[in-house]
Structure formats: C-alpha cells, structure tokens
Amino acid sequence: MRKPFVAGNWKMNTDSHSSVELAKRVASGSSQVADQSVTVAVCPPFVYLQSVARALSTSSIAVSAQDIYFEPKGAFTGEISASMLKDIGCSFVLCGHSERRHVVGETDELINKKVAAALAGGLLPILCVGELLAERDAGQTEQVVNRQLKNGLADLSVEKVSAVTIAYEPVWAIGTGRTATPQQAQEAHDFIRKLLAQMYNERLAEEIRILYGGSVKPANAADLMPQQDVDGLLVGGASLNAEDFLAIIQAAV
Ligand code: PEP
C-alpha cells in the first residue's frame, strides 16, 4: 500500500511572515490526517526554510527544499548542500523541477548528481520528470520520460532508489491552468512504474510513490487521485492558498 503524498511547491513566493503563517495554517488544518493517512510536505524558498521548519517542528508536516547542490561543502558561491538542509530540519528535496531544467538549464547529468547527493546526505529526493508540449505533440512523451528517469537515477542502487519519490509533471501543465486529464496522468504513471520494474524490480516499482503535478486544484485533485498509479500530487500555485491546499490534501486521503 503506497501512502498518498501531497507536496506544496511555493516556488519564489511568500515572505518571512506569510511563509510561517501559511505553514501554520496547513499544519493546523491537516493535523487529523497528516502523516497517518497522507504524507504532507511544503517546499518554501531557501531563505524561509528554517523559520518554516521551526514553525512545523511540533506538526506532522515535512519540510522540503526546492533544490540542492551536489557538492558537500566548499567554494560554491550561492549554493546549498544536503547537510545544510538536513541541519535545519528538511527531510525532502525537489530535484530536476521543470523550472530548474528549462529556466535555469539544468541537465540530466547535474540532476543525477543532485539526487545522489541528497541521498548521501540523508534527504529524500523528489525527482521531477515530464515532457514539453512540443514533445508530447511529437509523440515523444515516453522517450523523454525514459531518458530523464534513466539519467536522473543513473548509478544508484535499488536500495537508494527506493528512497526516491518520482513526480510526473508535464511541462505544458505547470502553471498554465491546463491539467493533464486523469487518463493522461494514469498512462504516464503506468509507463513510469513499468519502466522502474524493468530498471530495478517489481517490488521497487510497486512501492515507489509517483506524484502528478501540473495545475492541480481542489476541483481536479479528486479526479486525479483515484487513478491507480497516481500516488499523490505536487502542487504549485494552489499550495499558496491554505484552503485550496488543505482541500487537495483531503482529496488525497
Ligand atoms: C509545480 O510547481 O511543480 C507545479 C506543478 O506548479 P502548478 O501547480 O502551479 O502548475
């Protein structure tokens, strides 16, 4: 049985006050279900991670970073290591979010190093994969996801990969208001699970959680979650509104 998982990616939003307020509202509104019935995580910007982690320290909400650097320490100006994130109370980290891939220009190779560094530092990576609209239109969705998954998880043992969560986020659905249909999400998730079974084994594929992300809202969460291979949701815009995010969490229980 895979426990549902809902993560809220705040991207480059909130401030020192609103980040803590939002975290507290999410914690109090989900206290009956968080952890027992659904894993809930929030991903604040780096600068608010510590205050949000403090505000959530007595709750069952996990804290996730939005990114990480792969080196453990040293002369890497502006970067943040796994041990720093662990030190301030993070348990998860997004790796390869589409905005990192397509806005910042991160490659599969770099993302693989980040996933490996997160695991080595005791963090749980959420590896994001997903195709561009032009790639979907050209019938290349499976090819792209296959490449991102194989390269992103390269050289990691089965034991390591079992600590990874996958997020399927079609780029054309992120922040556009255009969600994948439940069938499109299920098809992609089924493909990913079968690919993981081939790459590792059936047991790992059955146990690993695959989240859907891309314009998830309270109104569509209830249609996406019942899909057999949709184990949870990675939510951007709607996670900035406590009521909406709490409604999405409820839809996942
Ligand atoms: C995301 O940030 O991962 C995301 C899916 O954003 P949105 O829900 O706004 O599309």
Side-chain angles (χ1 to χ4, degrees):
M1 239 338 238
R2 300 181 293 268
K3 193 197 281 187
F5 184 179
V6 178
N9 176 16
W10 298 353
K11 310 193 190 199
M12 199 170 71
N13 293 298
T14 70
D15 58 27
S16 57
H17 178 74
S18 64
S19 56
V20 169
E21 286 308 303
L22 178 56
K24 285 183 182 164
R25 290 181 67 191
V26 170
S28 69
S30 64
S31 60
Q32 300 299 310
V33 292
D35 202 31
Q36 300 111 38
S37 322
V38 53
T39 305
V40 179
V42 293
C43 319
F46 277 135
V47 286
Y48 308 130
L49 278 171
Q50 190 163 18
S51 46
V52 166
R54 261 194 221 115
L56 294 177
S57 61
T58 55
S59 80
S60 300
I61 311 289
V63 179
S64 171
Q66 298 176 15
D67 189 27
I68 186 176
Y69 195 58
F70 63 87
E71 293 286 0
K73 63 177 182 172
F76 303 101
T77 303
E79 298 294 353
I80 306 283
S81 71
S83 61
M84 290 171 177
L85 294 174
K86 191 85 186 150
D87 183 39
I88 56 154
C90 280
S91 40
F92 291 91
V93 59
L94 302 181
C95 294
H97 188 277
S98 76
E99 286 144 20
R100 305 288 320 165
R101 291 178 188 269
H102 301 293
V103 180
V104 182
E106 290 193 4
T107 61
D108 281 336
E109 192 193 9
L110 175 62
I111 293 160
N112 174 242
K113 288 182 181 171
K114 292 185 173 195
V115 173
L119 289 166
L123 294 170
L124 301 168
I126 302 172
L127 172 63
C128 305
V129 298
E131 80 288 359
L132 297 163
L133 183 58
E135 292 166 335
R136 173 162 282 263
D137 288 346
Q140 294 167 349
T141 298
E142 294 189 352
Q143 194 183 317
V144 171
V145 170
N146 178 69
R147 190 200 71 228
Q148 292 176 337
L149 210 58
K150 286 192 175 151
N151 292 343
L153 297 175
D155 302 324
L156 295 171
S157 65
V158 185
E159 291 68 38
K160 292 271 189 197
V161 175
S162 66
V164 176
T165 298
I166 306 296
Y168 169 65
E169 299 205 298
V171 183
W172 46 271
I174 299 180
T176 59
R178 186 178 157 186
T179 324
T181 63
Q183 292 71 24
Q184 285 172 322
Q186 170 55 26
E187 272 171 29
H189 286 224
D190 174 62
F191 172 75
I192 291 169
R193 204 175 300 286
K194 289 190 172 132
L195 187 58
L196 290 166
Q198 275 171 31
M199 289 164 64
Y200 303 99
N201 57 51
E202 288 286 346
R203 184 164 169 201
L204 176 129
E206 273 309 306
E207 291 179 354
I208 205 162
R209 290 186 287 189
I210 309 175
L211 316 185
Y212 168 79
S215 296
V216 173
K217 305 273 179 283
N220 56 32
D223 295 328
L224 289 158
M225 277 309 296
Q227 299 302 311
Q228 196 185 330
D229 291 292
V230 175
D231 305 318
L233 303 162
L234 178 52
V235 187
S239 70
L240 293 168
N241 178 297
E243 278 67 45
D244 285 355
F245 190 54
L246 288 168
I248 292 168
I249 293 169
Q250 285 304 330
V253 173

